Amino acid sequence: MSDISKSESYAAAGVDITAGYRSVELMKASIKRTMTAGVASDIGGFGGLFSLDTAKYKNPILVSGTDGVGTKIKLAFLMDKHDTVGIDCVAMCVNDIICSGAAPLFFLDYIACGKNVPEKIAAIVSGVAEGCVQSGCALIGGETAEHPGLMPEDEYDLAGFSVGVVDRDAVIDNKQMKAGDVMIALPSTGVHSNGFSLVRKVFDIDNADLHSPRAELGGKSLGETLLTPTRIYVKSILALLEKVKVSGITHITGGGFYENMPRSIPDGLAVEIKKSDVRVLPIFDLIAKTGNIPERDMYNTFNMGVGMCVVVAEEDVDTALASLRASGDDAYVIGKIVESKNGERVTLL
């Protein structure tokens, strides 16, 4: 970029315009990895253009989702590792969209930072691009905003927005769910991107040893375990939808089992789960033990090792499990849909 774009006065106020241009140049290779057939614009314009293949759908419904990474981003600061939180950002959006049966089309990110360090911004966007590749959507735009005086120079925040599409007749809306259906769990990769305010308090994260291997975490460090990116389930679910009829999908995010599972279960029904059937990951045992957190609070805050659940008819369980496992998810039966008692929607036995 030529000197015509440089502003000494703006730089004196703490905003380096040329750093923004440098960031864009550095991230272009990552963005290129995400390009799909529908992309109709280059990075750098005022808006990202996408051409919807309307011939593919009888009655297309657009489904949108937006989210951020939350205070997990503090771990990225402490570990000085910035190339994975972008995966989390994409995951939190597209994992919501897929719950309606919608395939993500495109994604846009927003990064606010105290100081634009081009290499750091490019690392963040490389994670965003990886998340887009994993979910099959295109990164068609974004924004990096330098906010001197509003946030520390070495900190940033990250949020995103995605749009997907599904045919109206294929929307998953739980209307076909019935007692006797079976809930299948798709394992999480860890804490994912929810509950980190409690995690940080439990481990006194600013003063914790984040780098030493820990036997209770399978030899991984606390920092590595907590920073593990959120699993993206889009391709697994899309493949499953081609095999069986799915009557409900739940993304287990903030609020854990108790708040999220009812969102995909209709009135009059509930899910019954044996706690002994839940494959709880070691990190959650460590959180509960270290923080002396009651069991119900754990299940009402964290995913406990279950990142997503799908509900299918009993006769389709074997086919569903085979499909999900073929996609790389070690899926297993976690519960059964039953008639609701006393208005309860989730029963942990």
Side-chain angles (χ1 to χ4, degrees):
M1 184 62 63
S2 68
D3 289 341
I4 196 172
S5 297
K6 186 174 183 179
S7 170
E8 297 290 351
S9 298
Y10 213 1
V15 177
D16 185 353
I17 298 174
T18 58
Y21 297 135
R22 174 65 177 155
S23 297
V24 172
E25 288 302 313
L26 290 176
M27 66 179 70
K28 280 185 176 179
S30 294
I31 295 170
K32 186 177 180 180
R33 295 180 57 217
T34 76
M35 294 297 99
T36 63
V39 177
S41 61
D42 293 326
I43 292 294
F46 288 101
L49 279 62
F50 192 92
S51 177
L52 179 64
D53 181 7
T54 54
K56 188 176 178 180
Y57 303 93
K58 295 179 181 179
N59 192 351
I61 298 292
L62 297 180
V63 181
S64 60
T66 186
D67 209 337
V69 182
T71 62
K72 180 176 184 175
I73 219 159
K74 180 74 170 178
L75 268 296
F77 303 159
L78 294 172
M79 299 288 287
D80 193 25
K81 182 174 175 56
H82 310 284
D83 60 351
T84 61
V85 288
I87 300 174
D88 291 292
C89 188
V90 175
M92 298 308 292
C93 297
V94 299
N95 282 347
D96 279 351
I97 286 174
I98 197 63
C99 290
S100 299
L105 295 171
F106 57 82
F107 188 86
L108 293 90
D109 61 6
Y110 177 83
I111 305 169
C113 56
K115 180 179 177 60
N116 188 328
V117 179
E119 291 76 16
K120 181 185 289 187
I121 299 300
I124 298 167
V125 174
S126 73
V128 174
E130 174 60 27
C132 288
V133 170
Q134 289 183 21
S135 56
C137 68
L139 178 57
I140 64 170
E143 174 71 10
T144 301
E146 201 169 13
H147 290 166
L150 186 62
M151 56 200 308
E153 285 192 356
D154 60 346
E155 293 190 3
Y156 58 86
D157 198 10
L158 173 64
F161 170 82
S162 188
V163 172
V165 63
V166 60
D167 219 316
R168 182 181 291 274
D169 292 340
V171 171
I172 297 172
D173 56 12
N174 77 32
K175 291 180 179 178
Q176 304 302 315
M177 194 178 299
K178 62 186 183 305
D181 285 351
V182 175
M183 179 174 281
I184 295 173
L186 283 69
S188 71
T189 51
V191 184
H192 281 183
S193 298
N194 300 103
F196 272 87
S197 293
L198 179 55
V199 168
R200 290 185 300 112
K201 180 177 184 295
V202 165
F203 292 116
D204 186 16
I205 209 72
D206 288 318
N207 302 303
D209 178 0
L210 298 176
H211 300 281
S212 298
R214 302 185 65 147
E216 64 266 54
L217 297 177
K220 292 185 176 182
S221 69
L222 180 62
E224 180 185 6
T225 300
L226 292 175
L227 203 55
T228 301
T230 304
R231 171 77 172 165
I232 292 177
Y233 300 99
V234 169
K235 291 182 179 179
S236 293
I237 297 298
L238 290 177
L240 175 67
L241 296 177
E242 294 181 357
K243 303 286 196 314
V244 301
K245 176 68 176 177
V246 174
S247 59
I249 303 178
T250 300
H251 182 199
I252 308 297
T253 56
F257 283 36
Y258 287 106
E259 289 188 22
N260 288 288
M261 289 184 177
R263 296 168 68 180
S264 63
I265 299 174
D267 292 341
L269 296 179
V271 61
E272 190 174 84
I273 297 171
K274 293 179 181 178
K275 285 179 285 190
S276 59
D277 288 339
V278 181
R279 299 177 186 175
V280 179
L281 294 175
I283 183 60
F284 298 109
D285 291 329
L286 183 61
I287 292 170
K289 180 180 178 181
T290 304
N292 193 27
I293 309 297
E295 184 179 68
R296 195 188 190 287
D297 286 357
M298 291 294 297
Y299 278 93
N300 200 35
T301 305
F302 301 109
N303 67 61
M304 301 303 287
V306 179
M308 184 162 282
C309 295
V310 298
V311 176
V312 300
E314 189 171 19
E315 60 267 25
D316 290 329
V317 168
D318 289 344
T319 302
L321 289 173
S323 175
L324 292 168
R325 290 168 181 169
S327 295
D329 287 294
D330 190 17
Y332 63 96
V333 172
I334 193 175
K336 197 161 190 173
I337 303 300
V338 298
E339 300 289 343
S340 177
K341 299 176 182 177
N342 302 318
E344 291 186 359
R345 309 294 290 281
V346 179
T347 301
L348 296 181
L349 304 174

